[in-house]
Amino acid sequence: MDTNFSYLKGKSEFALFGPACIDAENVLSTSPVMSAVASRKALELCVKWIYSTDETLGKPREDGLQALLHNNGFPSLVDYSLWRRFQYIVKNGNMSVHTAKALSKEDAILSLNILFDFVQWIEYCYGQEYTERKFDAHIIPNANAESKRIEAEYTRVIKDIQKNADKIADEKDKQIQELLRINARLSQERTEARKIH
């Protein structure tokens, strides 16, 4: 199934950050918090990729994400409106890691959208071939479908277990009845044997 970032699987030139982008999108339906953290990680890998590729950027003295975003001419390299939006990804990712504050699915989707726009910018400026794409929240993988499949499988297994349990219970009841009959017969035989002695 095609998702917003799935096309990166075939782009070896973006192997440093592609898998992180794909992970950030895939985990959204399971955990918006984990998606926000993964988006922040993917953003950092994207920025580091640019530093390793673009010779106009000086080698950073610090390699923390904020230092990379604000130093060595990086802000003037990237479209300013996009560059300002990076702080949203950073804030969501940091908040998800360092606080107990809940993060909405919509917040995580916005982080993914900003990340997607950045990856599109990278592909346009540095890629071997560029294809314009638009972010579509409707194609983000939905764990609900997988959850429903798992729930259906679980329900089937439980029904099988119950059916087998009923068969086993019936068999056990028959065995118990047979043992009770044997026990009653033996008891009667012993009683008769005592009468003879």
Side-chain angles (χ1 to χ4, degrees), residues 36-106:
V37 171
S39 290
R40 188 202 176 284
K41 174 186 174 185
L43 171 66
E44 185 166 346
L45 292 173
C46 288
V47 171
K48 287 181 176 180
W49 184 90
I50 291 173
Y51 270 89
S52 71
T53 302
D54 194 317
E55 295 175 4
T56 64
L57 290 171
K59 186 173 181 179
R61 281 175 265 145
E62 297 177 43
D63 70 346
L65 180 56
Q66 289 292 14
L68 295 174
L69 287 173
H70 290 90
N71 296 325
N72 301 315
F74 188 84
S76 61
L77 182 70
V78 182
D79 176 74
Y80 181 70
S81 63
L82 177 60
W83 178 81
R84 284 187 41 188
R85 293 167 61 208
F86 293 158
Q87 288 309 312
Y88 190 83
I89 296 176
V90 173
K91 181 188 86 166
N92 277 347
N94 288 346
M95 185 178 70
S96 296
V97 169
H98 300 296
T99 71
K101 187 174 177 184
L103 186 80
S104 73
K105 186 174 182 180
E106 291 71 27

Side-chain angles (χ1 to χ4, degrees), residues 92-161:
N92 277 347
N94 288 346
M95 185 178 70
S96 296
V97 169
H98 300 296
T99 71
K101 187 174 177 184
L103 186 80
S104 73
K105 186 174 182 180
E106 291 71 27
D107 287 333
I109 289 173
L110 184 52
S111 286
L112 285 171
N113 193 345
I114 296 165
L115 179 63
F116 179 85
D117 290 346
F118 187 33
V119 171
Q120 281 289 282
W121 180 87
I122 291 171
E123 187 178 22
Y124 178 77
C125 294
Y126 300 99
Q128 294 173 2
E129 56 182 67
Y130 170 71
T131 302
E132 185 176 0
R133 296 173 175 86
K134 299 288 182 200
F135 183 82
D136 183 356
H138 296 99
I139 63 170
I140 294 172
N142 185 352
N144 289 339
E146 180 64 9
S147 295
K148 286 178 183 175
R149 185 193 66 73
I150 291 169
E151 185 178 342
E153 179 68 15
Y154 176 76
T155 302
R156 185 191 64 72
V157 168
I158 292 297
K159 283 181 180 176
D160 286 348
I161 290 169

